[in-house]
Amino acid sequence: MNWKKKVMKVVPLAVCGIVGSLLFTSGASAHGYIDNGRSSLCKQGLNTGCGPIQYEPQSVEGPGNFPQLGPSDGQIAGAGRYPNLDVQTATRWHKVNLTGGTNTFSWTFTAPHRTKEWKYYITKKGWNPNQPLTRSNLEFISRVDGGDKQPPFKVAHAINLPTDRTGYHIVLGVWEIADTGMAFYQAVDVNLGNNPLVGNTQPSSSLANLLSMKQFTQ
């Protein structure tokens, strides 16, 4: 009789542990990343020494409402959670070749959140690629309204990149969540060319002929 009472006390604790684990897993799965962004290329092995993000490129999550809030300067690429992604030099990261004008940025979501918006920024002319990424390095280029809805598992945005700069730049995509106050940060390292004969291996993109970033390699 005493043995049965002890069993009954143990079972609820085990059940609570299982439920807690399931709740944690569910929350952790609702993430997303830009195809061929810095964290995605860590998973592909083109970027190395990335730390744990190589196994979950969709998890670069930090406080939202960027740039008023969000990760501290110098921790933007890693969202304040993945310091390996914040290491910044001119040669540290694999780059994708893009041209000024309209380019397609494709997101992959593992479990979409209701979305407030997506915002895009690019490093300014004359930025120093050997210094940590800060807000003062960035300028806003585009916003896509999320409509407070869950997006599909694949979303593509046509984003117009400046035509007044060339060479290594970072495009920052920020996925602002509507129902958590959090956001996902995606740094995309690009070799930006505005002369079709210099620094590009693909034809320039246009509204009539959008090319996926997957077609561009260093």
Side-chain angles (χ1 to χ4, degrees):
M1 188 69 176
N2 292 335
W3 177 83
K4 290 183 179 179
K5 289 182 179 179
K6 289 181 179 179
V7 171
M8 291 177 68
K9 290 180 181 178
V10 171
V11 170
L13 292 175
V15 171
C16 289
I18 293 172
V19 171
S21 176
L22 289 175
L23 289 174
F24 177 80
T25 301
S26 175
S29 65
H31 297 333
Y33 60 91
I34 293 180
D35 299 349
N36 283 355
R38 186 175 292 184
S39 64
S40 174
L41 294 184
C42 286
K43 182 178 181 180
Q44 296 178 41
L46 292 175
N47 286 329
T48 59
C50 301
I53 201 63
Q54 65 184 304
Y55 305 111
E56 46 177 331
Q58 69 275 14
S59 297
V60 191
E61 180 183 17
N65 295 311
F66 186 84
Q68 291 81 7
L69 300 176
S72 300
D73 284 348
Q75 301 179 0
I76 297 171
R81 296 181 58 194
Y82 297 96
N84 294 52
L85 292 179
D86 293 316
V87 177
Q88 184 59 54
T89 73
T91 58
R92 172 65 181 90
W93 304 105
H94 183 89
K95 303 169 185 63
V96 292
N97 290 335
L98 298 179
T99 55
T102 305
N103 291 270
T104 300
F105 289 80
S106 299
W107 288 78
T108 295
F109 302 110
T110 56
H113 276 291
R114 281 174 34 221
T115 298
K116 177 182 177 182
E117 61 188 352
W118 293 270
K119 294 178 290 191
Y120 290 87
Y121 304 81
I122 192 170
T123 45
K124 296 177 180 178
K125 293 175 66 175
W127 79 293
N128 187 342
N130 294 305
Q131 292 183 352
L133 185 64
T134 66
R135 287 163 173 77
S136 63
N137 297 144
L138 296 168
E139 62 182 79
F140 173 80
I141 52 174
S142 188
R143 175 186 178 273
V144 180
D145 184 22
D148 198 24
K149 298 178 181 178
Q150 274 195 340
F153 285 92
K154 296 289 292 186
V155 170
H157 298 145
I159 304 299
N160 194 51
L161 299 183
T163 58
D164 63 350
R165 67 204 69 183
T166 59
Y168 176 31
H169 283 273
I170 295 174
V171 176
L172 178 70
V174 182
W175 174 31
E176 295 277 3
I177 307 306
D179 53 4
T180 69
M182 302 294 281
F184 291 83
Y185 296 82
Q186 288 289 296
V188 185
D189 300 282
V190 305
N191 178 33
L192 186 62
N194 280 298
N195 181 336
L197 300 179
V198 178
N200 294 282
T201 58
Q202 301 288 342
S204 61
S205 53
S206 64
L207 285 171
N209 184 27
L210 295 177
L211 302 177
S212 169
M213 288 178 61
K214 293 181 179 179
Q215 295 176 293
F216 295 87
T217 57
Q218 188 176 36

